[in-house]
Amino acid sequence: MENSKKVRSKKLDPRVDLTAMVSVSFLLIIFFMVTTELSKQKIMSLSLPEKDISCGGFGCSSGSELRIQTVLLDENDKIITYSGLLECPLEAPKKVKYGKDGIRKELQNKQIKTLKYYADMGLPHRGSIIIIKPSEKSNFKNLVDILDEMAIVNIDTYSIVNEFTPEESKLLAKN
């Protein structure tokens, strides 16, 4: 009789291939890193004066109010500007016009004074902070014009704010 042996299959050690899991985990890590970075808020910091109880809640003697110039835009191309804070302005509010002899000259003078003041203190590159406040009655062209003036005068720190204080509303109504 012939030697009848059954051929048995050789059992292999079971192995788990983790290549796909590594790929998925790297994709998840990249996804969460990107979404975390994109969800961060992008804000512009606005340097306002330190708080002080002696003058309407803000400091009028700290020197930092020298940097602030507020530009109020109203209907019929009306611009009212004041330096500092309205509670204790460095310069009284005044009407100016658009153009090189109006608002541009005001902004240039403000920028020059501010740069000189901080350069004398040993703090260069601290220019003016312009707060632009268009009223509901002002038109879009006026806002674009004032932003053009910012670029012409090289003022790089400005903010557009749509909230008026009651005093500013009275000032616009009076003028």
Side-chain angles (χ1 to χ4, degrees), residues 28-39:
L28 285 172
I29 290 171
I30 291 170
F31 171 76
F32 286 116
M33 287 172 52
V34 169
T35 55
T36 302
E37 187 63 32
L38 292 177
S39 68

Side-chain angles (χ1 to χ4, degrees), residues 44-61:
M44 178 180 78
S45 61
L46 183 62
S47 301
L48 292 175
E50 297 295 323
K51 293 221 173 202
D52 184 350
I53 299 172
S54 65
C55 183
F58 289 94
C60 289
S61 60

Side-chain angles (χ1 to χ4, degrees), residues 16-175:
V16 177
D17 187 14
L18 297 178
T19 306
M21 187 177 289
V22 170
S23 298
V24 168
S25 52
F26 276 117
L27 286 173
L28 285 172
I29 290 171
I30 291 170
F31 171 76
F32 286 116
M33 287 172 52
V34 169
T35 55
T36 302
E37 187 63 32
L38 292 177
S39 68
K40 289 182 182 174
Q41 291 183 351
K42 306 290 188 242
I43 58 173
M44 178 180 78
S45 61
L46 183 62
S47 301
L48 292 175
E50 297 295 323
K51 293 221 173 202
D52 184 350
I53 299 172
S54 65
C55 183
F58 289 94
C60 289
S61 60
S62 65
S64 56
E65 76 278 356
L66 176 68
R67 295 180 70 189
I68 299 174
Q69 176 90 14
T70 303
V71 177
L72 305 173
L73 305 177
D74 204 12
E75 64 183 340
N76 300 326
D77 298 337
K78 183 167 67 171
I79 302 174
I80 297 175
T81 182
Y82 61 90
S83 185
L85 302 170
L86 192 55
E87 293 84 18
C88 49
L90 297 174
E91 296 174 8
K94 59 184 164 185
K95 270 190 191 180
V96 292
K97 296 181 180 183
Y98 286 96
K100 65 178 183 176
D101 293 328
I103 189 66
R104 186 178 310 162
K105 188 174 183 180
E106 288 291 321
L107 294 173
Q108 284 173 336
N109 290 339
K110 181 70 173 177
Q111 183 78 330
I112 290 168
K113 284 181 190 177
T114 305
L115 289 172
K116 182 176 178 350
Y117 176 80
Y118 282 103
D120 291 345
M121 290 179 55
L123 300 169
H125 309 297
R126 290 210 176 174
S128 299
I129 299 171
I130 308 299
I131 300 173
I132 303 167
K133 293 188 174 187
S135 72
E136 291 179 5
K137 297 176 184 177
S138 69
N139 57 34
F140 187 69
K141 179 190 176 301
N142 292 346
L143 183 61
V144 171
D145 288 344
I146 203 71
L147 292 175
D148 286 342
E149 295 295 339
M150 296 293 141
I152 292 169
V153 181
N154 288 331
I155 294 177
D156 54 356
T157 307
Y158 56 88
S159 177
I160 301 171
V161 180
N162 63 353
E163 296 175 8
F164 282 84
T165 64
E167 293 83 14
E168 289 171 336
S169 298
K170 289 177 190 175
L171 183 65
L172 281 176
K174 184 174 71 171
N175 289 321

